[in-house]
Amino acid sequence: MGLETEMTSGAKVKLERAELRLIELELAAPFETSFARERVKRAIIVALFGDGAVGWGECVASSGPWYSYETVETAWHVLREFLLPRVLGRREKLGLQELKGELAPIRGHPMAKAALEAAFLDLQAKLEGRPLARLLGGERDRVTSGVSIGIQEDLTELLKEVARRLEEGYPRVKLKIKPSWDLAVVEAVRREFPKIKLQVDANSAYTLEDRGLFAELDRFELLLIEQPLGYDDLVDHARLQRELRTPLCLDESISSLAAARAALELGSCRVINIKPGRVGGPTQAIAIHDLCRASGVPVWCGGMLETGIGRAHNLAVASLPGFTLPNDISASSRYFARDIVEPEFVLNPDGTITVPRGPGIGVEVVEERLERATVRKEVIRQGR
Ligand code: OSB
Ligand code: MG
């Protein structure tokens, strides 16, 4: 399937070396989902050097295999042993198609691949002196924001947190739910805030036996219900979707373009959450965007508590025209006391975040902040 979106192929680059870093940044507040409670953001940052420039990528794999099977350590291993050696230290210059051709024989590990493809695209855009968003075919100069609110101590805390985020100007709220933190929570938030754009995310915490709960949630005018059932279960999602008025939205289940095609054919969802870092990189994200657009399925860009590097990449992708729902792309301050990029991302008064206009990701990585967050570093030069 060809890319519908007008994505220019970009410059060819002679890739010289890569730097892998494992970083740890304390979160502004702990983030709790149905599967984990995180206090610290861990991520692999990829720096790719070639033709006198550097491109940055961020891997969304987390410490353990809770959201997906990939972890920080599997991604490090696959990048170091299999992906980087295929593209580094070669005599010829590589374009995007050649890079993708080299990564294609490696099965799975979309998060590891995504970080490398993202770094490559940033590098290409910088060498051409244009914004990454333009290279990808993006059109918007600002992207509608939304905020994802984790599971809280109690309802009082949650209502305070929702009120605070609305005051900050977030135009859409997503609540994390799990068994014991669902119906009463949605009921309370709806009662207090009858008009807000509201959606929920279960991160696969339920089964079809919980269909009664979803029938109840169907009454609350939610924008969507995200990933209620098994992370790999498209058939049960299709069954549940047939029983509901509210659109189901898949996140974990959509790990590739093929998964997106299957979900649309089966009727497993009516909305897709596209995370470039989950689906194998920006070009797979664009291919899913194109498929959904051609099928009349709205998409939005999800997040994985990324640092400013991953957030800049998400913004570039979310500037494409099919991203019509509010995105999980919040201001830097929602995640960290201090981001590792400058300028940090801020929420505009109209509830949007501006897509950077400078070359590549359009924000500067602050070396000294990156260095302070780094707990492991390795330079990789050689191809095999
Ligand atoms: O399911 O969307 C998710 C964070 C970590 C892992 C999974 C998810 C999330 C979020 C946060 O909901 C979204 C954000 O980055 O703002
Ligand atoms: Mg989700």
Side-chain angles (χ1 to χ4, degrees), residues 169-181:
Y170 287 100
R172 181 276 271 154
V173 168
K174 163 168 138 181
L175 304 174
K176 290 290 189 179
I177 58 168
K178 66 172 183 182
S180 83
W181 184 264

PDB file of all heavy atoms in Angstrom, residues 169-181:
ATOM      1  N   GLY A 169      -6.507  24.917  31.105  1.00  0.00           N
ATOM      2  CA  GLY A 169      -6.938  25.141  29.722  1.00  0.00           C
ATOM      3  C   GLY A 169      -7.022  23.902  28.847  1.00  0.00           C
ATOM      4  O   GLY A 169      -7.222  24.024  27.632  1.00  0.00           O
ATOM      5  N   TYR A 170      -6.865  22.720  29.452  1.00  0.00           N
ATOM      6  CA  TYR A 170      -6.980  21.501  28.630  1.00  0.00           C
ATOM      7  C   TYR A 170      -8.420  21.331  28.154  1.00  0.00           C
ATOM      8  O   TYR A 170      -9.343  21.353  28.961  1.00  0.00           O
ATOM      9  CB  TYR A 170      -6.498  20.262  29.400  1.00  0.00           C
ATOM     10  CG  TYR A 170      -4.993  20.266  29.527  1.00  0.00           C
ATOM     11  CD1 TYR A 170      -4.366  20.673  30.699  1.00  0.00           C
ATOM     12  CD2 TYR A 170      -4.203  19.941  28.431  1.00  0.00           C
ATOM     13  CE1 TYR A 170      -2.977  20.737  30.790  1.00  0.00           C
ATOM     14  CE2 TYR A 170      -2.820  19.999  28.510  1.00  0.00           C
ATOM     15  CZ  TYR A 170      -2.214  20.392  29.691  1.00  0.00           C
ATOM     16  OH  TYR A 170      -0.851  20.456  29.762  1.00  0.00           O
ATOM     17  N   PRO A 171      -8.618  21.179  26.841  1.00  0.00           N
ATOM     18  CA  PRO A 171      -9.976  21.118  26.289  1.00  0.00           C
ATOM     19  C   PRO A 171     -10.588  19.722  26.296  1.00  0.00           C
ATOM     20  O   PRO A 171     -11.736  19.557  25.904  1.00  0.00           O
ATOM     21  CB  PRO A 171      -9.788  21.600  24.847  1.00  0.00           C
ATOM     22  CG  PRO A 171      -8.392  21.233  24.499  1.00  0.00           C
ATOM     23  CD  PRO A 171      -7.591  21.220  25.782  1.00  0.00           C
ATOM     24  N   ARG A 172      -9.828  18.719  26.751  1.00  0.00           N
ATOM     25  CA  ARG A 172     -10.378  17.358  26.800  1.00  0.00           C
ATOM     26  C   ARG A 172      -9.660  16.588  27.914  1.00  0.00           C
ATOM     27  O   ARG A 172      -8.465  16.741  28.105  1.00  0.00           O
ATOM     28  CB  ARG A 172     -10.195  16.675  25.451  1.00  0.00           C
ATOM     29  CG  ARG A 172     -10.734  15.267  25.361  1.00  0.00           C
ATOM     30  CD  ARG A 172      -9.737  14.241  25.882  1.00  0.00           C
ATOM     31  NE  ARG A 172      -8.828  13.738  24.880  1.00  0.00           N
ATOM     32  CZ  ARG A 172      -7.608  13.261  25.174  1.00  0.00           C
ATOM     33  NH1 ARG A 172      -7.126  13.294  26.409  1.00  0.00           N
ATOM     34  NH2 ARG A 172      -6.839  12.809  24.211  1.00  0.00           N
ATOM     35  N   VAL A 173     -10.468  15.782  28.629  1.00  0.00           N
ATOM     36  CA  VAL A 173      -9.927  15.011  29.746  1.00  0.00           C
ATOM     37  C   VAL A 173     -10.098  13.524  29.464  1.00  0.00           C
ATOM     38  O   VAL A 173     -11.166  13.083  29.023  1.00  0.00           O
ATOM     39  CB  VAL A 173     -10.670  15.385  31.053  1.00  0.00           C
ATOM     40  CG1 VAL A 173     -10.344  14.412  32.169  1.00  0.00           C
ATOM     41  CG2 VAL A 173     -10.329  16.820  31.468  1.00  0.00           C
ATOM     42  N   LYS A 174      -9.032  12.770  29.701  1.00  0.00           N
ATOM     43  CA  LYS A 174      -9.102  11.304  29.623  1.00  0.00           C
ATOM     44  C   LYS A 174      -8.862  10.749  31.013  1.00  0.00           C
ATOM     45  O   LYS A 174      -7.902  11.143  31.687  1.00  0.00           O
ATOM     46  CB  LYS A 174      -8.046  10.808  28.637  1.00  0.00           C
ATOM     47  CG  LYS A 174      -7.679   9.337  28.714  1.00  0.00           C
ATOM     48  CD  LYS A 174      -6.851   8.935  27.500  1.00  0.00           C
ATOM     49  CE  LYS A 174      -5.687   8.027  27.869  1.00  0.00           C
ATOM     50  NZ  LYS A 174      -4.868   7.647  26.690  1.00  0.00           N
ATOM     51  N   LEU A 175      -9.758   9.859  31.451  1.00  0.00           N
ATOM     52  CA  LEU A 175      -9.616   9.241  32.767  1.00  0.00           C
ATOM     53  C   LEU A 175      -9.152   7.808  32.591  1.00  0.00           C
ATOM     54  O   LEU A 175      -9.709   7.057  31.796  1.00  0.00           O
ATOM     55  CB  LEU A 175     -10.969   9.212  33.497  1.00  0.00           C
ATOM     56  CG  LEU A 175     -11.707  10.537  33.683  1.00  0.00           C
ATOM     57  CD1 LEU A 175     -13.084  10.260  34.304  1.00  0.00           C
ATOM     58  CD2 LEU A 175     -10.892  11.473  34.583  1.00  0.00           C
ATOM     59  N   LYS A 176      -8.139   7.425  33.350  1.00  0.00           N
ATOM     60  CA  LYS A 176      -7.738   6.024  33.379  1.00  0.00           C
ATOM     61  C   LYS A 176      -8.744   5.285  34.244  1.00  0.00           C
ATOM     62  O   LYS A 176      -9.111   5.777  35.326  1.00  0.00           O
ATOM     63  CB  LYS A 176      -6.336   5.903  33.973  1.00  0.00           C
ATOM     64  CG  LYS A 176      -5.252   6.457  33.076  1.00  0.00           C
ATOM     65  CD  LYS A 176      -5.068   5.574  31.858  1.00  0.00           C
ATOM     66  CE  LYS A 176      -3.848   5.978  31.053  1.00  0.00           C
ATOM     67  NZ  LYS A 176      -3.656   5.104  29.872  1.00  0.00           N
ATOM     68  N   ILE A 177      -9.210   4.117  33.774  1.00  0.00           N
ATOM     69  CA  ILE A 177     -10.137   3.329  34.589  1.00  0.00           C
ATOM     70  C   ILE A 177      -9.601   1.910  34.779  1.00  0.00           C
ATOM     71  O   ILE A 177      -8.725   1.458  34.032  1.00  0.00           O
ATOM     72  CB  ILE A 177     -11.563   3.264  33.985  1.00  0.00           C
ATOM     73  CG1 ILE A 177     -11.544   2.668  32.572  1.00  0.00           C
ATOM     74  CG2 ILE A 177     -12.220   4.645  33.999  1.00  0.00           C
ATOM     75  CD1 ILE A 177     -12.942   2.317  32.036  1.00  0.00           C
ATOM     76  N   LYS A 178     -10.118   1.234  35.798  1.00  0.00           N
ATOM     77  CA  LYS A 178      -9.822  -0.179  36.053  1.00  0.00           C
ATOM     78  C   LYS A 178     -10.966  -0.709  36.912  1.00  0.00           C
ATOM     79  O   LYS A 178     -11.743   0.089  37.467  1.00  0.00           O
ATOM     80  CB  LYS A 178      -8.485  -0.328  36.779  1.00  0.00           C
ATOM     81  CG  LYS A 178      -8.492   0.253  38.188  1.00  0.00           C
ATOM     82  CD  LYS A 178      -7.219  -0.094  38.945  1.00  0.00           C
ATOM     83  CE  LYS A 178      -7.300   0.433  40.371  1.00  0.00           C
ATOM     84  NZ  LYS A 178      -6.090   0.183  41.154  1.00  0.00           N
ATOM     85  N   PRO A 179     -11.113  -2.026  37.040  1.00  0.00           N
ATOM     86  CA  PRO A 179     -12.162  -2.547  37.921  1.00  0.00           C
ATOM     87  C   PRO A 179     -11.980  -1.935  39.311  1.00  0.00           C
ATOM     88  O   PRO A 179     -10.848  -1.874  39.804  1.00  0.00           O
ATOM     89  CB  PRO A 179     -11.895  -4.059  37.920  1.00  0.00           C
ATOM     90  CG  PRO A 179     -11.216  -4.315  36.600  1.00  0.00           C
ATOM     91  CD  PRO A 179     -10.363  -3.103  36.362  1.00  0.00           C
ATOM     92  N   SER A 180     -13.043  -1.458  39.902  1.00  0.00           N
ATOM     93  CA  SER A 180     -13.063  -0.746  41.193  1.00  0.00           C
ATOM     94  C   SER A 180     -12.800   0.758  41.025  1.00  0.00           C
ATOM     95  O   SER A 180     -12.894   1.514  41.987  1.00  0.00           O
ATOM     96  CB  SER A 180     -12.086  -1.318  42.236  1.00  0.00           C
ATOM     97  OG  SER A 180     -10.778  -0.806  42.035  1.00  0.00           O
ATOM     98  N   TRP A 181     -12.454   1.199  39.840  1.00  0.00           N
ATOM     99  CA  TRP A 181     -12.250   2.642  39.586  1.00  0.00           C
ATOM    100  C   TRP A 181     -12.826   2.922  38.201  1.00  0.00           C
ATOM    101  O   TRP A 181     -12.098   3.137  37.238  1.00  0.00           O
ATOM    102  CB  TRP A 181     -10.758   2.993  39.665  1.00  0.00           C
ATOM    103  CG  TRP A 181     -10.430   4.464  39.523  1.00  0.00           C
ATOM    104  CD1 TRP A 181     -10.053   5.110  38.371  1.00  0.00           C
ATOM    105  CD2 TRP A 181     -10.431   5.476  40.536  1.00  0.00           C
ATOM    106  NE1 TRP A 181      -9.837   6.443  38.619  1.00  0.00           N
ATOM    107  CE2 TRP A 181     -10.057   6.693  39.941  1.00  0.00           C
ATOM    108  CE3 TRP A 181     -10.732   5.446  41.913  1.00  0.00           C
ATOM    109  CZ2 TRP A 181      -9.956   7.892  40.651  1.00  0.00           C
ATOM    110  CZ3 TRP A 181     -10.632   6.647  42.618  1.00  0.00           C
ATOM    111  CH2 TRP A 181     -10.250   7.851  42.000  1.00  0.00           C
TER     112      TRP A 181
END
